Amino acid sequence: MTAETVATAEWRALDREGRDRCRLVRSGAGWMLIGHARFADGQGRSYLDYVIRCDGDWFTQSADVTGTFREQPVALRLLRKGDDWTLNDVPQPAVEGAVDVDLGFTPATNLMPLRRLCEVGRMQARAAWLCAPDGALRPLCQAYTRERGGLVSYAAEQTEFQTELKVSDDGFVALYPGFWERQATG
């Protein structure tokens, strides 16, 4: 099985000092996101590496997050089997039925639902949300509505957060207002 890099994205944080770099890799019949987030806030520095594996239809199968978060070690393995999720082999019934993982420290994980979203239309998706890599998974019901012109309205039910995402042709977020801005690569 050969792996081929299909796209890369690099973002600059708008709400703190930080960068995130991610590669989208075609691997067999599925996809992988391989990324490296580096950021600092008032509570410390974080150096996180992540690998997310998806099937050919862009549904999350597993995710690994390693490194340090606010200078504390992190080693997390999320696994989805059907409707069930585990975190480091511990069942996570609160996120049962989730089809995506949402890593709160990177805009990369918006890619999966954006790839499933029609050219113009609305979609709801339930995510297993790792708000911060402290080991707690929470449910996050998300709604994506795409209009013409690369803009997608995004809403998260549990947080009542809403924004309008600018999305690149490759499906990665180009602008997550107030949080992330994609940088030119090359």
Side-chain angles (χ1 to χ4, degrees):
M1 167 179 18
T2 60
E4 170 193 2
T5 298
V6 175
T8 61
E10 186 171 334
W11 297 274
R12 175 178 64 89
L14 301 175
D15 62 338
R16 61 189 163 193
E17 173 192 331
R19 296 211 172 273
D20 185 8
R21 182 167 173 77
C22 179
R23 288 186 303 131
L24 171 60
V25 175
R26 178 82 167 155
S27 179
W31 302 94
M32 290 192 313
L33 292 173
I34 303 168
H36 314 281
R38 310 294 187 246
F39 54 91
D41 59 22
Q43 298 177 353
R45 295 196 164 278
S46 299
Y47 306 91
L48 296 169
D49 297 322
Y50 55 93
V51 177
I52 301 158
R53 292 163 202 84
C54 301
D55 65 18
D57 294 322
W58 296 100
F59 293 104
T60 302
Q61 302 302 299
S62 67
D64 295 294
V65 179
T66 57
T68 59
F69 177 66
R70 296 179 177 153
E71 302 175 31
Q72 298 298 312
V74 172
L76 302 175
R77 172 104 169 123
L78 293 79
L79 183 61
R80 176 178 161 248
K81 289 189 179 180
D83 284 341
D84 299 325
W85 287 80
T86 58
L87 175 62
N88 291 346
D89 297 323
V90 176
Q92 301 292 304
V95 296
E96 182 178 327
V99 296
D100 294 310
V101 66
D102 185 310
L103 303 179
F105 60 86
T106 176
T109 51
N110 291 102
L111 179 73
M112 289 84 77
L114 287 169
R115 283 287 183 118
R116 294 193 309 269
L117 183 61
C118 299
E119 185 175 325
V120 173
R122 179 177 168 84
M123 177 187 74
Q124 293 188 316
R126 181 175 164 92
W129 180 34
L130 187 69
C131 178
D134 59 5
L137 275 182
R138 300 181 214 160
L140 188 63
C141 297
Q142 302 172 317
Y144 292 85
T145 305
R146 187 187 317 261
E147 304 292 338
R148 300 201 186 281
L151 297 177
V152 174
S153 295
Y154 169 79
E157 180 182 313
Q158 285 78 359
T159 62
E160 298 181 356
F161 178 76
Q162 295 181 11
T163 194
E164 192 166 76
L165 305 172
K166 183 165 178 45
V167 179
S168 299
D169 290 342
D170 60 15
F172 280 116
V173 170
L175 179 63
Y176 201 125
F179 296 101
W180 294 98
E181 181 176 44
R182 190 168 178 182
Q183 304 295 285
T185 57

